[in-house]
Amino acid sequence: MLQSPSPMTRSPLPPHVLLFPLPLQGPVNSMLKLAELLCLADLHITFVVTDYINSRLQRHSNFQSRFDHYPNFQIKTVSDGLPEDHPRGDRFIELFDSLRRKTKPLFKEMLSSGCLESDSRRRVSCIVADGILGFTCDVGNELGIPVFYVRTISACCLWVFFCLPKLIEAGEIPFNGDDMDELIKSVPGMERFLRRRDLPSFCRSGNIADQNILLYRTECDEIPRAYGLILNTFEELEGPILSEIRSLCPNIYTIGPLHAHLKAKLAARGSSQPTFSNSLWEEDQTCMAWLDAQPSKSVIYVSFGSLVNITSEQYMEFWHGLVNSGQRFLWVIRPDSILNKDSGSRIPDEVSEGTKERGYIVDWAPQEEVLAHPSVGGFLTHSGWNSTLESVFEGLPMICWPYFLDQQVNSRFVGNVWNLGLDMKDTSDRNLVEKMVRDLMEVRKEEFLQRADQMAKSAKRCLVEGGSSYNSFERLVKDIESMDAPVS
Ligand code: UDX
């Protein structure tokens, strides 16, 4: 345990925490929630984002006006080294390589130049960075600044990443044969239910030199380098898997669901501050008025997050399935997210009629508000971790259609471990979409709502005083304060 410096050497200023998220919508969203929580704990915060993310946040979110209320918060921007028109998330490995090669020296310069501190703001006491950005730990070690890693994915997927070297050693990847339902044996705690098809999609590449495998298998080496690991989850949801991770990395802070944790802390202060998601696209608020006009729990919300792209064939399968289900639907179709979209193709009358009667389509929605709306009764999601936690917290059953990264693992847990919905992995056939939507919203509605409600209650309990996430956050703040850099 770190020794607190004696009182005479302790600076009168609060600790100064620098946060560095992976510059993509999901991670930035959850780490901004963490930043605001740390602001509420009266710590000084520097939030480092890339120029690209900063310009999108400034344009499309209430981010600036919200953080203007915190004199102890500052944002610093840094180049990601890519041209303005680079698609970033769609070519993730290029983004990652550029951050490591071009952003790392800029980050070191930012920390060592003195530009972050002032008479009222001490030098950086610790760095809280996305654990995939290993270079932040390199720089922290060079400058003698302790580092906490945050992983904004699920603990269950993080544990699979930890086990990638074992999977390779056991010859479980690359796959031998094409039985995608064969059980995986080398992930402790998941032997009974994890199949080949539930592994992160890059495990299907057939090539253990795949850049994604090389990128994610470093977790075993990277994470133990940090002082502690901060996870956006809660003990009651991922307890068994958290125990597995703790065997390698004992100092874990489970402080999620972060979006709800922040809301709870603000409510406890009587603050009426809006804490909507920190969107990189314009949120279309008109869908809220449409929801107001729908019966309770009658709408299935459909969104595939900020990175998923679907083919025009998949788009039509989902559209037919949703209309044929007879259910009401609110569908987010992010601009440019439909590949090879043939705008000339004729839409069958029954599909356009059905959409007029029961559907509403937007480019981007105020998702946290939508999921909290009483008219919403289910979520057809890609199983991104923020969306999954937001749905769990609102007691909404899910249909999971995972695309890549952690989404395959998340959807297996939703459908088979937590029993909070249906796993529609590896298919988008219109008849199956129709059947699953009917099952979730009609045939098995009460069964799923009841289970989802139990998990939602458990998520709420962990955030009240004495709850697991409440206590973990208290411990995190105390540990940061105990790192109090002596007066320089
Ligand atoms: C990415 C990865 O895809 C995901 O697998 C990983 O778990 C986190 O990083 P993303 O695909 O963007 O995340 O999905 P998700 O984690 O669900 O984050 C999306 C965020 O955008 C959510 O907080 C959601 O509330 C918000 N959102 C989404 C909106 O505000 N409006 C929308 O219309 C859609």
Side-chain angles (χ1 to χ4, degrees):
M1 175 59 76
L2 284 133
Q3 292 305 317
S4 295
S6 57
M8 65 283 281
T9 59
R10 182 184 287 276
S11 159
L13 293 171
H16 180 185
V17 181
L18 181 143
L19 285 95
F20 198 139
L22 177 65
L24 292 171
Q25 173 73 87
V28 164
N29 193 16
S30 40
M31 279 185 79
L32 272 170
K33 312 277 185 190
L34 174 57
E36 195 165 346
L37 277 167
L38 294 170
C39 282
L40 292 173
D42 296 326
L43 301 179
H44 279 178
I45 302 300
T46 293
F47 196 85
V48 178
V49 277
T50 57
D51 301 311
Y52 175 79
I53 291 288
N54 183 51
S55 67
R56 302 281 300 265
L57 280 172
Q58 300 293 351
R59 207 161 61 235
H60 299 309
S61 80
N62 65 348
F63 152 84
Q64 192 62 62
S65 60
R66 203 162 76 245
F67 279 97
D68 285 348
H69 288 80
Y70 295 104
N72 51 333
F73 176 90
Q74 67 175 350
I75 189 162
K76 288 289 179 188
T77 59
V78 70
S79 167
D80 58 13
L82 293 170
E84 179 57 33
D85 62 353
H86 186 284
R88 284 148 175 101
D90 285 349
R91 296 207 315 253
F92 174 66
I93 293 292
E94 290 171 23
L95 168 64
F96 184 76
D97 284 343
S98 184
L99 288 168
R100 193 170 42 188
R101 281 183 297 104
K102 298 186 183 165
T103 305
K104 177 179 176 180
L106 300 175
F107 176 58
K108 183 173 178 181
E109 170 61 22
M110 181 191 281
L111 274 166
S112 44
S113 67
C115 73
L116 299 179
E117 52 248 40
S118 66
D119 295 345
S120 59
R121 186 186 300 270
R122 164 152 32 110
R123 74 186 283 270
V124 171
S125 321
C126 68
I127 296 167
V128 173
D130 195 299
I132 201 170
L133 302 176
F135 68 79
T136 55
C137 212
D138 300 339
V139 172
N141 290 346
E142 285 164 38
L143 300 177
I145 303 173
V147 175
F148 291 84
Y149 272 153
V150 182
R151 292 303 263 120
T152 58
I153 56 173
S154 57
C156 49
C157 181
L158 180 61
W159 181 232
V160 172
F161 287 167
F162 259 102
C163 296
L164 284 175
K166 280 198 280 190
L167 282 161
I168 293 168
E169 201 180 305
E172 294 203 271
I173 52 174
F175 300 155
N176 178 9
D178 54 7
D179 176 7
M180 291 301 282
D181 292 317
E182 183 168 314
L183 284 177
I184 295 295
K185 299 277 180 291
S186 307
V187 181
M190 299 190 193
E191 301 91 337
R192 287 181 303 100
F193 55 83
L194 194 75
R195 305 160 301 178
R196 284 175 167 179
R197 71 171 72 252
D198 305 315
L199 288 172
S201 49
F202 56 70
C203 295
R204 302 182 184 190
S205 71
N207 167 17
I208 53 172
D210 178 296
Q211 288 182 312
N212 284 286
I213 292 184
L214 295 177
L215 171 63
Y216 291 105
R217 65 175 291 183
T218 59
E219 305 287 345
C220 295
D221 314 326
E222 266 305 318
I223 287 188
R225 288 174 67 195
Y227 173 78
L229 177 61
I230 301 169
L231 294 180
N232 183 16
T233 189
F234 56 103
E235 298 292 338
E236 293 75 357
L237 183 68
E238 298 198 89
I241 299 305
L242 288 163
S243 307
E244 298 286 355
I245 299 176
R246 282 191 170 102
S247 64
L248 296 176
C249 180
N251 190 23
I252 293 182
Y253 306 87
T254 50
I255 60 173
L258 273 170
H259 76 292
H261 199 153
L262 174 59
K263 277 198 185 108
K265 283 282 193 309
L266 287 168
R269 286 164 168 251
S271 162
S272 56
Q273 274 266 61
T275 64
F276 312 132
S277 53
N278 305 287
S279 286
L280 305 183
W281 289 267
E282 202 63 35
E283 294 177 355
D284 182 341
Q285 292 286 344
T286 62
C287 62
M288 300 310 289
W290 181 80
L291 285 173
D292 289 342
Q294 311 309 321
S296 170
K297 297 282 180 200
S298 67
V299 176
I300 185 160
Y301 171 62
V302 185
S303 169
F304 299 130
S306 69
L307 298 176
V308 170
N309 296 313
I310 62 177
T311 63
S312 54
E313 294 74 23
Q314 289 168 331
Y315 166 58
M316 291 313 291
E317 289 302 303
F318 277 115
W319 200 357
H320 278 84
L322 286 166
V323 168
N324 297 344
S325 75
Q327 302 299 313
R328 293 172 172 81
F329 60 91
L330 167 58
W331 190 357
V332 174
I333 302 183
R334 196 184 76 246
D336 307 325
S337 65
I338 299 175
L339 304 171
N340 54 51
K341 186 173 179 184
D342 173 9
S343 47
S345 61
R346 213 184 66 75
I347 306 297
D349 292 346
E350 73 276 12
V351 173
S352 44
E353 279 314 306
T355 303
K356 272 201 206 89
E357 274 171 42
R358 298 185 299 281
Y360 199 88
I361 297 177
V362 293
D363 286 353
W364 196 250
Q367 178 163 307
E368 286 185 41
E369 293 172 81
V370 166
L371 294 175
H373 196 286
S375 297
V376 176
F379 186 2
L380 169 48
T381 173
H382 66 312
S383 292
W385 190 236
N386 291 294
S387 293
T388 301
L389 281 179
E390 289 157 12
S391 195
V392 163
F393 189 77
E394 298 301 340
L396 285 179
M398 288 168 264
I399 297 171
C400 304
W401 187 72
Y403 181 77
F404 67 169
L405 296 175
D406 57 330
Q407 298 155 23
Q408 274 74 15
V409 178
N410 298 344
S411 58
R412 184 60 170 168
F413 272 74
V414 168
N416 185 276
V417 180
W418 304 322
N419 295 308
L420 298 176
L422 298 166
D423 186 359
M424 184 164 55
K425 187 172 278 120
D426 294 335
T427 175
S428 54
D429 165 72
R430 64 183 67 180
N431 298 320
L432 188 63
V433 171
E434 176 188 346
K435 180 183 183 316
M436 283 199 164
V437 172
R438 280 191 200 285
D439 279 353
L440 195 88
M441 299 296 286
E442 263 181 57
V443 179
R444 300 174 61 185
K445 177 173 188 166
E446 291 318 314
E447 171 198 340
F448 282 123
L449 281 174
Q450 204 230 333
R451 257 206 294 282
D453 185 53
Q454 283 165 356
M455 189 60 86
K457 286 191 170 76
S458 155
K460 290 173 174 62
R461 273 196 301 275
C462 77
L463 296 176
V464 299
E465 191 164 350
S468 57
S469 293
Y470 181 101
N471 291 345
S472 286
F473 184 72
E474 294 290 294
R475 183 170 68 87
L476 173 64
V477 172
K478 281 194 177 54
D479 286 354
I480 288 172
E481 286 167 345
S482 72
M483 289 177 172
D484 200 348
V487 174
S488 45

